[in-house]
């Protein structure tokens, strides 16, 4: 599967932003999809995950602020980000996991989100 992320931009603290990830290729609906982010000087971290069965998992302090979703018919994955904070500033990546428990082997290019205070 090939992935292309979009939707990043510059916003102010407290604003909302929605990231989109378009997937191409076969068997998208069988993939677990996730959003990762990487801030300057930090390691890449997972933000949210949506399983092939729709199971949702959130990580860190995004719980209650971010919502991940998928549209299998459109082969899209979204990350709705509300109440953004300056510490959410990062390059955001969408990723796909083909096999449960396996690694995320499919990555889109990043999209930069900058949150100003």
């Amino acid at each position: 599967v090939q992935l292309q992320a979009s939707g990043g931009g510059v916003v102010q603290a407290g604003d909302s932003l929605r990231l989109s990830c378009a997937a191409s290729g076969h068997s998208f609906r069988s993939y677990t999809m996730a959003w990762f982010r990487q801030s300057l000087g930090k390691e890449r971290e997972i933000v949210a995950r949506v399983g092939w069965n729709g199971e949702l998992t959130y990580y860190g302090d995004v719980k209650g602020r971010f919502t991940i979703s998928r549209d299998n018919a459109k082969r899209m994955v979204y990350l709705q980000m509300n109440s953004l904070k300056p510490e959410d500033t990062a390059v955001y990546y969408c990723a796909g996991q083909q096999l449960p428990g396996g690694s995320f082997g499919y990555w889109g290019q990043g999209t930069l989100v900058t949150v100003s205070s």
Side-chain angles (χ1 to χ4, degrees), residues 1-3 23-33 70 72 75 96-98 106:
V1 66
Q2 294 180 324
L3 305 172
S24 61
H26 299 293
S27 304
F28 168 76
R29 62 178 64 246
S30 69
Y31 282 66
T32 289
M33 300 300 297
R70 67 189 297 164
N72 288 333
R75 296 183 180 177
Q97 178 191 63
Q98 187 174 14
Y106 301 88

Side-chain angles (χ1 to χ4, degrees), residues 24-73:
S24 61
H26 299 293
S27 304
F28 168 76
R29 62 178 64 246
S30 69
Y31 282 66
T32 289
M33 300 300 297
W35 286 96
F36 288 73
R37 68 184 179 186
Q38 187 168 20
S39 304
L40 191 64
K42 296 185 178 180
E43 293 187 355
R44 189 176 299 185
E45 62 178 357
I46 189 169
V47 173
R49 180 177 67 178
V50 54
W52 63 271
N53 58 359
E55 181 179 5
L56 305 177
T57 308
Y58 297 94
Y59 300 84
D61 74 342
V62 307
K63 296 175 183 178
R65 299 189 298 121
F66 291 10
T67 302
I68 188 172
S69 61
R70 67 189 297 164
D71 185 334
N72 288 333

Side-chain angles (χ1 to χ4, degrees), residues 44-117:
R44 189 176 299 185
E45 62 178 357
I46 189 169
V47 173
R49 180 177 67 178
V50 54
W52 63 271
N53 58 359
E55 181 179 5
L56 305 177
T57 308
Y58 297 94
Y59 300 84
D61 74 342
V62 307
K63 296 175 183 178
R65 299 189 298 121
F66 291 10
T67 302
I68 188 172
S69 61
R70 67 189 297 164
D71 185 334
N72 288 333
K74 296 182 178 179
R75 296 183 180 177
M76 295 291 294
V77 182
Y78 305 99
L79 185 68
Q80 177 66 42
M81 305 184 293
N82 299 328
S83 302
L84 283 161
K85 305 175 182 179
E87 50 264 44
D88 294 319
T89 295
V91 178
Y92 285 73
Y93 301 87
C94 62
Q97 178 191 63
Q98 187 174 14
L99 298 174
S103 62
F104 283 90
Y106 301 88
W107 293 85
Q109 89 292 356
T111 185
L112 177 62
V113 173
T114 303
V115 185
S116 61
S117 57

